[in-house]
Amino acid sequence: MTLALIDYSTHNIEDIQVKVRNFISDRASFGIVNVAFGKQSQMVDIIEREIESVGLSCRVRTANRGWAVAAMTAATFGGAAVAGAAIVAHNIVTIDPDYEIIKEMLGSDVAVEYQR
């Protein structure tokens, strides 16, 4: 499946919000690419608010986070255990979401996947 993409670098924030709102009302999956450095969390917050404003649920996660936890295990078992427990708890609290918001760990892109 090909995601519809919004290029952050060529749109203002109001235009992005309108496009996000339209994708959500259509129950579509989409992505936001070329998010400005330091703006990824703000973009995720906007998407999350738009999803929840129409009564849908979402889960925010970081792509490849499991690999990061595995890497931490090599350095410190205690830290990895805590991080792993936090991931499991988060997944239980956000069980069966309507949308999954996936942010890149090292990049700036955000994917938003409709789950139903």
Side-chain angles (χ1 to χ4, degrees), residues 12-115:
N12 65 42
I13 200 69
E14 291 81 18
D15 290 342
I16 292 172
Q17 283 179 283
V18 168
K19 289 178 181 286
V20 166
R21 201 171 296 128
N22 290 336
F23 283 129
I24 292 167
S25 71
D26 292 341
R27 305 297 194 263
S29 296
F30 59 96
I32 302 176
V33 297
N34 300 318
V35 177
F37 180 77
K39 298 291 185 181
Q40 187 184 47
S41 291
Q42 176 189 21
M43 192 79 272
V44 168
D45 290 343
I46 289 168
I47 296 165
E48 188 172 13
R49 272 195 310 270
E50 292 295 335
I51 290 169
E52 292 173 348
S53 75
V54 294
L56 298 175
S57 62
C58 62
R59 170 187 297 153
V60 179
R61 69 177 179 86
T62 304
N64 301 317
R65 183 174 55 183
W67 289 106
V69 171
M72 282 176 49
T73 302
T76 168
F77 179 74
V82 170
I87 292 169
V88 169
H90 177 259
N91 288 343
I92 290 170
V93 170
T94 58
I95 196 162
D96 198 28
D98 296 300
Y99 272 97
E100 197 165 58
I101 303 168
I102 306 153
K103 56 186 182 174
E104 288 186 2
M105 188 182 319
L106 301 175
S108 63
D109 296 349
V110 178
V112 184
E113 297 178 358
Y114 185 65
Q115 300 293 306

